[in-house]
Amino acid sequence: MAKVTIDGQEMEFAEGTRLFDACAEARGEALPHFCYHPDLSVAGVCRLCQVEVEGMPKLTIACNTFVRDGMVVHTRNEKVRKAARQILEMHLVNHPVDCPICDQAGECGLQNQYMTYGLYESEVEQADKVNKAKAEVIGPHVILDKERCVLCSRCVRFCEEVTKTGEMGIFNRGDRAEIGVAPGTELANEYSLNTVDICPVGALTSRDFRFQKRVWMLKSTPGVCPGCATGCNVRIDHEAGRIFRLKPRRNDEVNGPWMCDRGRMVYKDVHDEDRLTTPLLRGEAVAWADVEEDLARLLAFGSVGLAVGSARATLEENFLLKRLAERLGAGEMSGGLRDADRGVGDDILQDADRAPNRRGLEILDLAEHDAVTLAGRIGNASGTILLLGGDPAAAPEVAAALQGKDVVFVGTHAGATAALAQVVLPGAAWAETAGVFVNRQGRLQDFPQAIARPDRARETWRILVERLAAAGEDTPPASLRTVRLLLTEAHGLPDLNSLPAVGSVPAAGGAD
Amino acid sequence: MTPNDYTMLSARFGRSDGHKLAVYEAEGGYRALRKVLQDGMSREEVREEVKGAGLRGRGGAGFPTGVKWGFVPPDADEIYFFVNADESEPGTFKDRYLLDYDPHQTIEGTIISCFAVKAKLAFIYIRGEFGWLVDRVQKAVDEAYAAGYLGKDILGSGYDLEMIVHKGAGAYICGEETGLINSVTGRKGQPSIKPPFPAVQGFLDKPTIVNNVESVASVPFIINEGAAAYKAFGTEKSCGTKLFSVSGPVKRPGVYEIPLGLPFREFFNDWLGGMAEGEKLKAVIVGGSSVPVLPAEEIMNTNLDYESLGEAGTMLGSGGMIVIPESCDMVELIQVLMHFYFDESCGQCTPCREGTGWLHRIVKRLRGGGGTPEDLDLLEHVCDGMAGLTICPLADAAVMPMRSFLDKFRPEFEALIQETAAAAPTSRWPRGEQE
């Protein structure tokens, strides 16, 4: 251990601790910085995290210094503050200060640090500034404004060290230096939007989010990405029932600080035109009360032949489906289509299994089946086929088997399955409900509801609980909390109502 | 004392045949290498001799060469050596002379230095603009290979050394040792953060020593004659002789080898012959464009060694001496210098990237007649935000002349502003723009 005195406070740190981290701990906030990022190599170029270490002739950057026993460090004295102010001024010399039209405004490192360390009158006239290219599209997801760039090189290091694709570089030198993509290439790797996250200013912005919403209007809710089995921890940024973007939420045991571009776009499904927003009775939009009669018949005791779950549904939803099937004396169960939701994985984050909760089916002992087998089971089942989630009839074999059967579908999107069902019950999409997904590591990840459901859609677990009540369960669970208690008990799981908090919502301004 | 008394480094300067191996050998060349490799000097003995001679890095920083060698971890087995011939400091042209007139002296010094630090591969990194030097040095290296001074089992000693002549692409910043290493590696030529220092982790992440041409060229003399003989020249702390490249309107500009500690007055009057006809001495930039300027009356009472020049408020630097005549406009001169640093900043560290451009724009505005008295304070303010805050000394190299020009020649700046004030708008906003 090394004893270090930071701003008069003596603390102990493990040998090899970066002084930057030690200072953050001692101060309760990070030193001003742009280029340092804990998951990338140290560049040491923004020069903002200068601190005074007694015995050293000059100020030194904390990001490239390690604690030593007996070190005495000052981070708030006049000399350090003056340096931070001056260096910040240098960052702004050629900055266009176009905050009113910049998407980064409100979560911008330059704005934040100016309010903390700057607060000087500008000495530079607009006409004196170096002009560079603005609004340059450099890839399918990212747009570049070279004037706003502070050349911290985080994006360059990300592409070199994380994706190892190396599309980006710093070209030219002096104050003509600018970031860009290598000639003839574009920033088209599958993690390109992470560069937008780590860009401390408005140089790299998301083409999808650009000009959509001022960031201070957004509310953030922690979530788990439903895009694949990895289960990246995310932050859902939304306003008035609409999701505007997903951002990764740091969880070093799952996704670190990153997530893939495809995962960021899964929110679009939630607001898809195909969303089921109202119950459908033989294709007609009706009120909930209007389906009761048919449901009473189709889901009467002994009338259900087969109940099919889904790797896209939450652990609670599949659990309730199973409980309902048992309550109704259903002959058979299936976890759903084994081969649905397959894609191509990589060795960074993306898993080939594009469903978020296949491991959850294993916990519930719900075996999946391939399309032919599932179709065969449907064909052999006598009575109602109860389907939960996804779109199993997208497989032609399944669709053919469902023809002429009584089908009840609890789902979120219109499609082949909804079209075949006598009764369609509109459930909640992943962001509209609380729940638990079990990722590929077997990690139970719970998430709260982020946004309201559209129109007449209901939380899927409530729909299933209502059916349980209708089926005569004496004390059907009245809350998700109770559902989880039952689930915990039935499958010997850790208490799902007090899963350890995982991930952390990073501070605004790319301050991570 | 006269120029011809000191020929430790410059014996063959100005001669048409000094670059040939036969001539160098006939005049005692490669004797030091034989002494080291054949008479069985140990690596420690060579290092101690160089350390004992008090040889300081001649590239500008003046760090003791032997001490630098000592930073290589003793257990390292893959070590690289670079001779820094990226001589780009304005006013400096001494290494060019060493390599042009006497390449074998540098090659011999390099081989001995490599032996001392146990390097197996040496690069001579030559500034891109010195195209003809690359050929000359390459020919000399080829000769040295043919004579058995390079390659496998040098002089039967069992020591192997390969040498590569590398041509830079012409960037001032590649003279900074980590910038130099990066550019050879194929990366953008810009300095790396330290630590790690190259002596511990440099080229290909292995221990690497980067020495100036003049530093390694001094080594054969030290080995031949011994540390004591070397220390007989110079002062107690500034040992040996040093090359000064003198430009400006003096009677005899050129490259001179002087014993450190020589009074400038003597050097100026007796060696350089004073100012050219019709010119009067105004100021001197003594160690390359990056060191503070000294007005005539200050430099005249200073000796040419590290300590005396330090006390006088400047630095010995690279020995690139720029003599400035009374007829020179100091504001114009600083504009030239500020343009240089603006142009050469690698752009990596914010204070330097933005500061060099900002200084240049302000000085340009002054010269263009748009200056105000506040601009002089602004120049000081910008300098404050640059000095000592960057990875490498390029920001300081721009700040030192800027500050000293303002400090020593402020009246010239003020006069220019006053002269042009009448023509300039009273507001800093151009007229008509406020409406």
Side-chain angles (χ1 to χ4, degrees):
Chain A
M1 297 297 277
K3 266 197 186 129
V4 182
T5 308
I6 300 173
D7 297 332
Q9 185 185 352
E10 194 180 277
M11 297 175 78
E12 285 208 350
F13 297 97
E15 298 286 342
T17 303
R18 214 171 269 285
L19 184 57
F20 186 94
D21 298 329
C23 289
E25 195 179 325
R27 291 156 50 93
E29 60 172 358
L31 293 163
H33 67 288
F34 289 130
C35 70
Y36 178 70
H37 190 286
D39 298 274
L40 301 173
S41 63
V42 171
V45 295
C46 78
R47 315 305 293 175
L48 270 169
C49 66
Q50 309 254 3
V51 295
E52 185 174 13
V53 177
E54 285 187 11
M56 290 180 79
K58 294 194 294 188
L59 296 181
T60 185
I61 50 171
C63 68
N64 196 41
T65 309
F66 294 90
V67 296
R68 260 183 297 104
D69 196 41
M71 216 177 212
V72 180
V73 183
H74 302 279
T75 76
R76 295 184 194 272
N77 66 18
E78 185 46 35
K79 196 172 167 188
V80 172
R81 283 192 73 89
K82 185 174 172 227
R85 188 169 61 242
Q86 285 176 318
I87 295 166
L88 195 64
E89 184 176 20
M90 291 293 185
H91 275 98
L92 282 157
V93 165
N94 285 314
H95 189 82
V97 202
D98 55 350
C99 311
I101 55 158
C102 178
D103 273 301
Q104 192 81 2
E107 53 181 10
C108 171
L110 270 176
Q111 287 184 331
N112 295 347
Q113 303 199 7
Y114 177 82
M115 297 313 289
T116 314
Y117 299 93
L119 298 174
Y120 51 79
E121 290 293 320
S122 174
E123 300 274 8
V124 189
E125 292 168 29
Q126 194 65 39
D128 264 357
K129 293 186 188 248
V130 176
N131 292 117
K132 293 177 186 168
K134 295 179 83 71
E136 198 174 284
V137 172
I138 58 168
H141 296 295
V142 182
I143 196 161
L144 165 64
D145 185 314
K146 290 177 176 175
E147 287 189 340
R148 294 177 188 155
C149 176
V150 292
L151 291 153
C152 70
S153 79
R154 276 179 173 186
C155 54
V156 178
R157 284 176 282 147
F158 175 83
C159 292
E160 271 171 16
E161 297 163 18
V162 179
T163 60
K164 300 188 171 63
T165 43
E167 300 96 333
M168 300 198 68
I170 294 179
F171 302 88
N172 214 327
R173 56 184 192 173
D175 62 10
R176 288 85 62 215
E178 55 186 41
I179 60 163
V181 288
T185 67
E186 55 174 3
L187 180 60
N189 70 62
E190 296 186 42
Y191 294 84
S192 67
L193 280 167
N194 290 291
T195 63
V196 172
D197 294 344
I198 57 178
C199 179
V201 297
L204 295 172
T205 49
S206 159
R207 292 175 69 185
D208 181 54
F209 179 66
R210 193 168 140 87
F211 302 146
Q212 294 304 304
K213 186 57 76 178
R214 277 311 196 180
V215 297
W216 53 86
M217 317 277 289
L218 294 170
K219 290 177 194 66
S220 294
T221 307
V224 172
C225 175
C228 79
T230 305
C232 291
N233 292 200
V234 300
R235 192 183 85 197
I236 303 169
D237 284 355
H238 55 92
E239 196 227 9
R242 229 191 138 68
I243 300 174
F244 284 85
R245 62 180 183 184
L246 298 187
K247 290 263 187 189
R249 184 164 50 98
R250 174 183 285 279
N251 183 340
D252 287 335
E253 292 177 45
V254 180
N255 55 303
W258 320 123
M259 73 181 291
C260 72
D261 292 351
R262 195 182 48 79
R264 286 177 202 256
M265 296 301 152
V266 294
Y267 79 87
K268 289 181 180 290
D269 266 3
V270 174
H271 304 303
D272 206 48
E273 283 183 359
D274 292 348
R275 268 307 292 278
L276 296 167
T277 58
T278 175
L280 300 176
L281 188 59
R282 286 174 286 278
E284 293 295 316
V286 295
W288 279 93
D290 300 335
V291 294
E292 272 307 322
E293 197 186 318
D294 288 79
L295 281 183
R297 179 174 52 83
L298 293 169
L299 300 184
F301 182 82
S303 67
V304 174
L306 177 68
V308 182
S310 165
R312 292 197 157 272
T314 67
L315 188 62
E316 296 92 328
E317 290 162 1
N318 280 318
F319 168 72
L320 288 169
L321 178 78
K322 189 179 175 190
R323 194 178 176 89
L324 177 63
E326 284 163 1
R327 164 74 47 186
L328 294 173
E332 306 236 16
M333 281 220 63
S334 169
L337 274 177
R338 184 185 295 142
D339 302 322
D341 304 309
R342 287 284 154 182
V344 180
D346 60 31
D347 56 4
I348 305 178
L349 288 174
Q350 293 189 84
D351 198 283
D353 177 6
R354 297 288 203 241
N357 196 27
R358 214 169 291 274
R359 291 288 297 266
L361 294 172
E362 290 174 21
I363 289 177
L364 300 172
D365 297 320
L366 288 175
E368 292 175 283
H369 300 95
D370 60 47
V372 174
T373 311
L374 185 62
R377 293 173 63 119
I378 291 168
N380 292 336
S382 56
T384 306
I385 311 296
L386 174 58
L387 301 168
L388 171 69
D391 188 10
E397 298 92 335
V398 175
L402 287 170
Q403 292 292 343
K405 295 271 180 187
D406 287 331
V407 177
V408 175
F409 176 52
V410 185
T412 53
H413 286 74
T417 315
L420 279 166
Q422 275 70 48
V423 181
V424 172
L425 304 176
W430 52 275
E432 298 160 357
T433 183
V436 172
F437 284 151
V438 187
N439 82 346
R440 61 181 175 186
Q441 303 158 293
R443 178 178 294 269
L444 298 157
Q445 302 198 103
D446 66 330
F447 51 90
Q449 177 188 339
I451 55 169
R453 291 162 297 283
D455 204 7
R456 292 178 187 164
R458 290 184 180 173
E459 281 165 297
T460 308
W461 71 266
R462 273 191 204 282
I463 297 171
L464 294 166
V465 164
E466 279 157 21
R467 285 353 296 168
L468 272 173
E473 180 150 326
D474 295 341
T475 46
S479 65
L480 195 63
R481 190 177 165 77
T482 323
V483 173
R484 287 177 176 178
L485 281 175
L486 294 171
L487 178 52
T488 300
E489 206 174 292
H491 293 278
L493 298 174
D495 182 1
L496 296 178
N497 285 312
S498 54
L499 288 175
V502 288
S504 55
V505 177
D512 198 19
Chain B
M1 286 193 286
T2 73
N4 297 328
D5 290 346
Y6 303 94
T7 55
M8 191 191 298
L9 293 163
S10 57
R12 282 163 289 279
F13 281 14
R15 283 167 47 183
S16 62
D17 58 355
H19 61 283
K20 293 178 178 157
L21 177 62
V23 174
Y24 184 63
E25 281 178 325
E27 296 178 12
Y30 288 106
R31 193 158 53 88
L33 182 63
R34 288 180 191 281
K35 185 173 173 184
V36 169
L37 294 184
Q38 290 182 329
D39 302 351
M41 271 181 92
S42 70
R43 298 199 151 86
E44 290 68 38
E45 283 169 331
V46 175
R47 287 203 297 264
E48 283 310 310
E49 205 67 43
V50 170
K51 207 193 272 183
L55 174 62
R56 292 165 70 167
R58 300 299 198 213
F63 192 81
T65 305
V67 176
K68 195 178 196 178
W69 291 357
F71 290 153
V72 174
D75 54 347
D77 57 356
E78 191 182 337
I79 297 150
Y80 295 97
F81 194 95
F82 284 79
V83 178
N84 186 347
D86 190 57
E87 183 174 54
S88 338
E89 175 85 1
T92 312
F93 45 97
K94 64 184 181 67
D95 297 338
R96 188 174 89 189
Y97 269 55
L98 283 168
L99 291 177
D100 203 2
Y101 289 117
D102 200 356
H104 281 288
Q105 181 174 232
T106 298
I107 293 169
E108 183 183 9
T110 305
I111 302 168
I112 297 169
S113 304
C114 286
F115 173 76
V117 301
K118 225 166 68 178
K120 293 257 196 292
L121 177 61
F123 289 84
I124 299 183
Y125 186 101
I126 300 178
R127 176 183 172 183
E129 289 87 340
F130 290 166
W132 79 98
L133 273 189
V134 176
D135 296 339
R136 169 145 299 194
V137 175
Q138 185 63 58
K139 274 186 191 128
V141 167
D142 293 345
E143 280 183 309
Y145 265 105
Y149 297 129
L150 280 169
K152 296 273 176 224
D153 192 21
I154 299 170
L155 299 176
S157 65
Y159 176 60
D160 307 333
L161 177 69
E162 302 297 328
M163 189 176 283
I164 295 172
V165 180
H166 181 93
K167 184 180 171 184
Y172 176 60
I173 197 58
C174 290
E176 197 277 346
E177 56 182 8
T178 55
L180 184 150
I181 292 169
N182 278 335
S183 85
V184 174
T185 316
R187 300 197 190 106
K188 192 174 178 189
Q190 59 187 24
S192 305
I193 39 172
K194 284 158 267 187
F197 289 89
V200 178
Q201 192 181 329
F203 183 65
L204 305 180
D205 290 338
K206 301 293 182 192
T208 303
I209 291 293
V210 184
N211 280 159
N212 174 256
V213 172
E214 188 183 345
S215 307
V216 293
S218 303
V219 169
F221 179 91
I222 294 170
I223 297 300
N224 279 329
E225 312 297 329
Y230 187 79
K231 288 188 84 159
F233 302 104
T235 68
E236 194 193 333
K237 285 182 175 167
S238 297
C239 307
T241 61
K242 169 87 188 81
L243 296 178
F244 276 81
S245 52
V246 184
S247 58
V250 291
K251 282 219 177 70
R252 292 189 291 274
V255 177
Y256 291 87
E257 179 174 2
I258 66 159
L260 286 168
L262 182 69
F264 174 81
R265 185 184 297 276
E266 189 183 327
F267 180 55
F268 178 73
N269 289 331
D270 301 348
W271 299 40
L272 305 180
M275 296 300 281
E277 217 53 55
E279 298 286 2
K280 190 165 167 284
L281 181 67
K282 184 183 200 172
V284 173
I285 299 174
V286 74
S289 68
S290 305
V291 309
V293 64
L294 288 185
E297 59 279 13
E298 293 181 32
I299 186 73
M300 271 302 179
N301 296 313
T302 305
N303 296 340
L304 297 173
D305 59 76
Y306 292 101
E307 289 69 33
S308 306
L309 288 165
E311 277 164 37
T314 184
M315 288 158 70
L316 185 132
S318 62
M321 187 182 285
I322 303 168
V323 177
I324 302 164
E326 200 59 64
S327 57
C328 177
D329 175 348
M330 295 308 270
V331 188
E332 182 182 359
L333 182 51
I334 200 69
Q335 186 188 352
V336 172
L337 291 182
M338 288 305 106
H339 180 268
F340 175 78
Y341 294 104
F342 154 73
D343 196 35
E344 294 291 348
S345 167
C346 82
Q348 182 178 208
C349 301
T350 307
C352 176
R353 173 181 72 237
E354 306 297 344
T356 51
W358 200 358
L359 289 177
H360 177 240
R361 284 198 295 276
I362 301 168
V363 172
K364 209 167 114 184
R365 185 168 69 218
L366 289 181
R367 289 260 303 145
T372 67
E374 292 77 40
D375 281 338
L376 302 187
D377 299 332
L378 183 56
L379 286 170
E380 304 265 16
H381 172 75
V382 177
C383 288
D384 283 349
M386 298 170 67
L389 295 171
T390 50
I391 290 174
C392 87
L394 194 144
D396 297 84
V399 165
M400 282 189 283
M402 187 66 242
R403 276 182 174 158
S404 66
F405 271 59
L406 275 177
D407 185 31
K408 308 289 186 186
F409 298 97
R410 200 175 181 100
E412 283 196 39
F413 287 82
E414 288 166 347
L416 173 69
I417 291 166
Q418 210 159 22
E419 208 177 284
T420 54
T426 47
S427 162
R428 291 182 61 182
W429 293 89
R431 265 171 294 201
E433 203 168 325
Q434 275 151 318
E435 279 94 73

